[in-house]
PDB file of all heavy atoms in Angstrom:
ATOM      1  N   GLN D 409     -41.112 -10.117  -5.261  1.00  0.00           N
ATOM      2  CA  GLN D 409     -41.980 -10.551  -6.361  1.00  0.00           C
ATOM      3  C   GLN D 409     -41.489 -11.910  -6.953  1.00  0.00           C
ATOM      4  O   GLN D 409     -42.103 -12.373  -7.906  1.00  0.00           O
ATOM      5  CB  GLN D 409     -41.983  -9.434  -7.442  1.00  0.00           C
ATOM      6  CG  GLN D 409     -42.695  -8.250  -6.992  1.00  0.00           C
ATOM      7  CD  GLN D 409     -42.344  -6.979  -7.836  1.00  0.00           C
ATOM      8  OE1 GLN D 409     -41.692  -7.167  -8.892  1.00  0.00           O
ATOM      9  NE2 GLN D 409     -42.569  -5.828  -7.304  1.00  0.00           N
ATOM     10  N   HIS D 410     -40.318 -12.351  -6.452  1.00  0.00           N
ATOM     11  CA  HIS D 410     -39.832 -13.591  -7.048  1.00  0.00           C
ATOM     12  C   HIS D 410     -39.601 -14.603  -5.966  1.00  0.00           C
ATOM     13  O   HIS D 410     -38.446 -14.825  -5.462  1.00  0.00           O
ATOM     14  CB  HIS D 410     -38.468 -13.420  -7.726  1.00  0.00           C
ATOM     15  CG  HIS D 410     -38.585 -12.642  -8.988  1.00  0.00           C
ATOM     16  ND1 HIS D 410     -38.669 -13.195 -10.270  1.00  0.00           N
ATOM     17  CD2 HIS D 410     -38.622 -11.250  -9.187  1.00  0.00           C
ATOM     18  CE1 HIS D 410     -38.795 -12.277 -11.209  1.00  0.00           C
ATOM     19  NE2 HIS D 410     -38.783 -11.086 -10.553  1.00  0.00           N
ATOM     20  N   PRO D 411     -40.700 -15.417  -5.565  1.00  0.00           N
ATOM     21  CA  PRO D 411     -40.557 -16.339  -4.413  1.00  0.00           C
ATOM     22  C   PRO D 411     -39.468 -17.289  -4.665  1.00  0.00           C
ATOM     23  O   PRO D 411     -38.881 -17.953  -3.756  1.00  0.00           O
ATOM     24  CB  PRO D 411     -41.871 -16.918  -4.301  1.00  0.00           C
ATOM     25  CG  PRO D 411     -42.737 -16.328  -5.372  1.00  0.00           C
ATOM     26  CD  PRO D 411     -42.046 -15.282  -6.008  1.00  0.00           C
ATOM     27  N   GLU D 412     -39.118 -17.618  -5.968  1.00  0.00           N
ATOM     28  CA  GLU D 412     -38.112 -18.651  -6.295  1.00  0.00           C
ATOM     29  C   GLU D 412     -36.771 -18.150  -5.816  1.00  0.00           C
ATOM     30  O   GLU D 412     -35.901 -19.012  -5.488  1.00  0.00           O
ATOM     31  CB  GLU D 412     -38.133 -18.989  -7.673  1.00  0.00           C
ATOM     32  CG  GLU D 412     -37.609 -18.003  -8.772  1.00  0.00           C
ATOM     33  CD  GLU D 412     -38.657 -16.905  -9.151  1.00  0.00           C
ATOM     34  OE1 GLU D 412     -39.706 -16.738  -8.463  1.00  0.00           O
ATOM     35  OE2 GLU D 412     -38.478 -16.201 -10.189  1.00  0.00           O
ATOM     36  N   PHE D 413     -36.507 -16.854  -5.700  1.00  0.00           N
ATOM     37  CA  PHE D 413     -35.337 -16.285  -5.244  1.00  0.00           C
ATOM     38  C   PHE D 413     -35.079 -16.725  -3.775  1.00  0.00           C
ATOM     39  O   PHE D 413     -34.049 -17.142  -3.267  1.00  0.00           O
ATOM     40  CB  PHE D 413     -35.208 -14.818  -5.417  1.00  0.00           C
ATOM     41  CG  PHE D 413     -34.988 -14.317  -6.782  1.00  0.00           C
ATOM     42  CD1 PHE D 413     -35.103 -12.940  -7.132  1.00  0.00           C
ATOM     43  CD2 PHE D 413     -34.572 -15.198  -7.855  1.00  0.00           C
ATOM     44  CE1 PHE D 413     -35.028 -12.543  -8.455  1.00  0.00           C
ATOM     45  CE2 PHE D 413     -34.406 -14.775  -9.147  1.00  0.00           C
ATOM     46  CZ  PHE D 413     -34.714 -13.389  -9.432  1.00  0.00           C
ATOM     47  N   GLU D 414     -36.181 -16.448  -3.059  1.00  0.00           N
ATOM     48  CA  GLU D 414     -36.158 -16.638  -1.583  1.00  0.00           C
ATOM     49  C   GLU D 414     -35.992 -18.168  -1.277  1.00  0.00           C
ATOM     50  O   GLU D 414     -35.202 -18.573  -0.528  1.00  0.00           O
ATOM     51  CB  GLU D 414     -37.531 -16.229  -1.014  1.00  0.00           C
ATOM     52  CG  GLU D 414     -37.712 -16.466   0.482  1.00  0.00           C
ATOM     53  CD  GLU D 414     -37.360 -15.228   1.306  1.00  0.00           C
ATOM     54  OE1 GLU D 414     -37.685 -14.157   0.907  1.00  0.00           O
ATOM     55  OE2 GLU D 414     -36.727 -15.447   2.350  1.00  0.00           O
ATOM     56  N   LYS D 415     -36.695 -18.967  -2.088  1.00  0.00           N
ATOM     57  CA  LYS D 415     -36.640 -20.429  -1.903  1.00  0.00           C
ATOM     58  C   LYS D 415     -35.160 -20.925  -2.157  1.00  0.00           C
ATOM     59  O   LYS D 415     -34.724 -21.863  -1.546  1.00  0.00           O
ATOM     60  CB  LYS D 415     -37.610 -21.141  -2.868  1.00  0.00           C
ATOM     61  CG  LYS D 415     -37.754 -22.624  -2.677  1.00  0.00           C
ATOM     62  CD  LYS D 415     -38.994 -23.112  -3.418  1.00  0.00           C
ATOM     63  CE  LYS D 415     -39.128 -24.635  -3.254  1.00  0.00           C
ATOM     64  NZ  LYS D 415     -37.923 -25.373  -3.456  1.00  0.00           N
ATOM     65  N   ASN D 416     -34.539 -20.372  -3.189  1.00  0.00           N
ATOM     66  CA  ASN D 416     -33.108 -20.650  -3.427  1.00  0.00           C
ATOM     67  C   ASN D 416     -32.080 -19.970  -2.701  1.00  0.00           C
ATOM     68  O   ASN D 416     -30.879 -20.018  -3.040  1.00  0.00           O
ATOM     69  CB  ASN D 416     -32.968 -20.628  -4.998  1.00  0.00           C
ATOM     70  CG  ASN D 416     -33.589 -21.728  -5.750  1.00  0.00           C
ATOM     71  OD1 ASN D 416     -33.081 -22.826  -5.889  1.00  0.00           O
ATOM     72  ND2 ASN D 416     -34.841 -21.512  -6.207  1.00  0.00           N
ATOM     73  N   LYS D 417     -32.471 -19.229  -1.746  1.00  0.00           N
ATOM     74  CA  LYS D 417     -31.551 -18.446  -0.816  1.00  0.00           C
ATOM     75  C   LYS D 417     -30.590 -17.653  -1.680  1.00  0.00           C
ATOM     76  O   LYS D 417     -29.369 -17.660  -1.368  1.00  0.00           O
ATOM     77  CB  LYS D 417     -30.803 -19.393   0.056  1.00  0.00           C
ATOM     78  CG  LYS D 417     -31.678 -20.169   1.103  1.00  0.00           C
ATOM     79  CD  LYS D 417     -31.396 -19.752   2.465  1.00  0.00           C
ATOM     80  CE  LYS D 417     -32.310 -20.118   3.580  1.00  0.00           C
ATOM     81  NZ  LYS D 417     -33.103 -21.218   3.618  1.00  0.00           N
ATOM     82  N   ILE D 418     -31.012 -17.022  -2.698  1.00  0.00           N
ATOM     83  CA  ILE D 418     -30.139 -16.279  -3.629  1.00  0.00           C
ATOM     84  C   ILE D 418     -29.296 -15.168  -2.735  1.00  0.00           C
ATOM     85  O   ILE D 418     -28.192 -15.023  -2.947  1.00  0.00           O
ATOM     86  CB  ILE D 418     -30.963 -15.648  -4.772  1.00  0.00           C
ATOM     87  CG1 ILE D 418     -31.461 -16.712  -5.676  1.00  0.00           C
ATOM     88  CG2 ILE D 418     -30.116 -14.625  -5.514  1.00  0.00           C
ATOM     89  CD1 ILE D 418     -30.422 -17.533  -6.417  1.00  0.00           C
ATOM     90  N   ILE D 419     -30.081 -14.408  -1.967  1.00  0.00           N
ATOM     91  CA  ILE D 419     -29.409 -13.394  -1.220  1.00  0.00           C
ATOM     92  C   ILE D 419     -28.402 -13.887  -0.287  1.00  0.00           C
ATOM     93  O   ILE D 419     -27.227 -13.500  -0.243  1.00  0.00           O
ATOM     94  CB  ILE D 419     -30.422 -12.465  -0.425  1.00  0.00           C
ATOM     95  CG1 ILE D 419     -31.100 -11.422  -1.417  1.00  0.00           C
ATOM     96  CG2 ILE D 419     -29.797 -11.748   0.646  1.00  0.00           C
ATOM     97  CD1 ILE D 419     -30.157 -10.416  -1.889  1.00  0.00           C
ATOM     98  N   GLU D 420     -28.782 -14.909   0.521  1.00  0.00           N
ATOM     99  CA  GLU D 420     -27.850 -15.512   1.560  1.00  0.00           C
ATOM    100  C   GLU D 420     -26.582 -16.028   0.773  1.00  0.00           C
ATOM    101  O   GLU D 420     -25.449 -15.924   1.311  1.00  0.00           O
ATOM    102  CB  GLU D 420     -28.532 -16.687   2.202  1.00  0.00           C
ATOM    103  CG  GLU D 420     -29.477 -16.225   3.299  1.00  0.00           C
ATOM    104  CD  GLU D 420     -30.940 -15.953   2.695  1.00  0.00           C
ATOM    105  OE1 GLU D 420     -31.080 -15.863   1.446  1.00  0.00           O
ATOM    106  OE2 GLU D 420     -31.896 -15.940   3.514  1.00  0.00           O
ATOM    107  N   ARG D 421     -26.743 -16.562  -0.414  1.00  0.00           N
ATOM    108  CA  ARG D 421     -25.593 -17.128  -1.192  1.00  0.00           C
ATOM    109  C   ARG D 421     -24.786 -15.978  -1.762  1.00  0.00           C
ATOM    110  O   ARG D 421     -23.502 -16.042  -1.799  1.00  0.00           O
ATOM    111  CB  ARG D 421     -26.078 -18.080  -2.345  1.00  0.00           C
ATOM    112  CG  ARG D 421     -26.606 -19.428  -1.795  1.00  0.00           C
ATOM    113  CD  ARG D 421     -27.461 -20.074  -2.668  1.00  0.00           C
ATOM    114  NE  ARG D 421     -26.864 -20.359  -3.997  1.00  0.00           N
ATOM    115  CZ  ARG D 421     -27.622 -20.725  -5.076  1.00  0.00           C
ATOM    116  NH1 ARG D 421     -28.956 -20.855  -4.950  1.00  0.00           N
ATOM    117  NH2 ARG D 421     -27.016 -20.901  -6.211  1.00  0.00           N
ATOM    118  N   MET D 422     -25.457 -14.938  -2.216  1.00  0.00           N
ATOM    119  CA  MET D 422     -24.746 -13.793  -2.934  1.00  0.00           C
ATOM    120  C   MET D 422     -23.853 -13.050  -1.957  1.00  0.00           C
ATOM    121  O   MET D 422     -22.825 -12.511  -2.397  1.00  0.00           O
ATOM    122  CB  MET D 422     -25.743 -12.915  -3.444  1.00  0.00           C
ATOM    123  CG  MET D 422     -25.500 -12.544  -4.911  1.00  0.00           C
ATOM    124  SD  MET D 422     -26.826 -11.422  -5.367  1.00  0.00           S
ATOM    125  CE  MET D 422     -27.474 -12.193  -6.844  1.00  0.00           C
ATOM    126  N   VAL D 423     -24.190 -12.921  -0.733  1.00  0.00           N
ATOM    127  CA  VAL D 423     -23.414 -12.137   0.224  1.00  0.00           C
ATOM    128  C   VAL D 423     -22.243 -12.917   0.842  1.00  0.00           C
ATOM    129  O   VAL D 423     -21.423 -12.381   1.597  1.00  0.00           O
ATOM    130  CB  VAL D 423     -24.235 -11.568   1.437  1.00  0.00           C
ATOM    131  CG1 VAL D 423     -25.405 -10.608   0.906  1.00  0.00           C
ATOM    132  CG2 VAL D 423     -24.812 -12.658   2.325  1.00  0.00           C
ATOM    133  N   GLU D 424     -22.107 -14.255   0.460  1.00  0.00           N
ATOM    134  CA  GLU D 424     -20.994 -15.057   0.942  1.00  0.00           C
ATOM    135  C   GLU D 424     -20.055 -15.223  -0.184  1.00  0.00           C
ATOM    136  O   GLU D 424     -20.410 -15.806  -1.199  1.00  0.00           O
ATOM    137  CB  GLU D 424     -21.612 -16.360   1.380  1.00  0.00           C
ATOM    138  CG  GLU D 424     -20.760 -17.227   2.119  1.00  0.00           C
ATOM    139  CD  GLU D 424     -20.439 -16.808   3.540  1.00  0.00           C
ATOM    140  OE1 GLU D 424     -21.490 -16.370   4.287  1.00  0.00           O
ATOM    141  OE2 GLU D 424     -19.356 -16.857   4.025  1.00  0.00           O
ATOM    142  N   PRO D 425     -18.803 -14.813  -0.064  1.00  0.00           N
ATOM    143  CA  PRO D 425     -17.846 -14.906  -1.163  1.00  0.00           C
ATOM    144  C   PRO D 425     -17.602 -16.448  -1.465  1.00  0.00           C
ATOM    145  O   PRO D 425     -17.685 -17.228  -0.640  1.00  0.00           O
ATOM    146  CB  PRO D 425     -16.575 -14.330  -0.652  1.00  0.00           C
ATOM    147  CG  PRO D 425     -16.907 -13.450   0.577  1.00  0.00           C
ATOM    148  CD  PRO D 425     -18.165 -14.038   1.060  1.00  0.00           C
ATOM    149  N   ASP D 426     -17.364 -16.746  -2.786  1.00  0.00           N
ATOM    150  CA  ASP D 426     -17.085 -18.052  -3.111  1.00  0.00           C
ATOM    151  C   ASP D 426     -15.903 -18.570  -2.337  1.00  0.00           C
ATOM    152  O   ASP D 426     -15.867 -19.728  -1.806  1.00  0.00           O
ATOM    153  CB  ASP D 426     -16.760 -18.198  -4.652  1.00  0.00           C
ATOM    154  CG  ASP D 426     -17.983 -18.034  -5.495  1.00  0.00           C
ATOM    155  OD1 ASP D 426     -19.102 -17.975  -4.923  1.00  0.00           O
ATOM    156  OD2 ASP D 426     -17.888 -18.027  -6.745  1.00  0.00           O
ATOM    157  N   ARG D 427     -14.840 -17.837  -2.337  1.00  0.00           N
ATOM    158  CA  ARG D 427     -13.631 -18.026  -1.447  1.00  0.00           C
ATOM    159  C   ARG D 427     -12.775 -16.855  -1.274  1.00  0.00           C
ATOM    160  O   ARG D 427     -12.857 -15.921  -2.125  1.00  0.00           O
ATOM    161  CB  ARG D 427     -12.820 -19.268  -1.934  1.00  0.00           C
ATOM    162  CG  ARG D 427     -12.166 -19.055  -3.291  1.00  0.00           C
ATOM    163  CD  ARG D 427     -11.642 -20.319  -3.921  1.00  0.00           C
ATOM    164  NE  ARG D 427     -12.784 -21.155  -4.346  1.00  0.00           N
ATOM    165  CZ  ARG D 427     -13.548 -20.898  -5.401  1.00  0.00           C
ATOM    166  NH1 ARG D 427     -13.202 -19.866  -6.166  1.00  0.00           N
ATOM    167  NH2 ARG D 427     -14.476 -21.698  -5.757  1.00  0.00           N
TER     168      ARG D 427
END
Side-chain angles (χ1 to χ4, degrees):
Q409 291 158 17
H410 290 266
E412 71 277 18
F413 288 166
E414 178 94 40
K415 189 167 178 313
N416 283 279
K417 295 246 166 32
I418 292 292
I419 281 292
E420 286 84 344
R421 286 158 58 194
M422 229 181 235
V423 300
E424 192 73 41
D426 287 354
R427 66 195 67 78

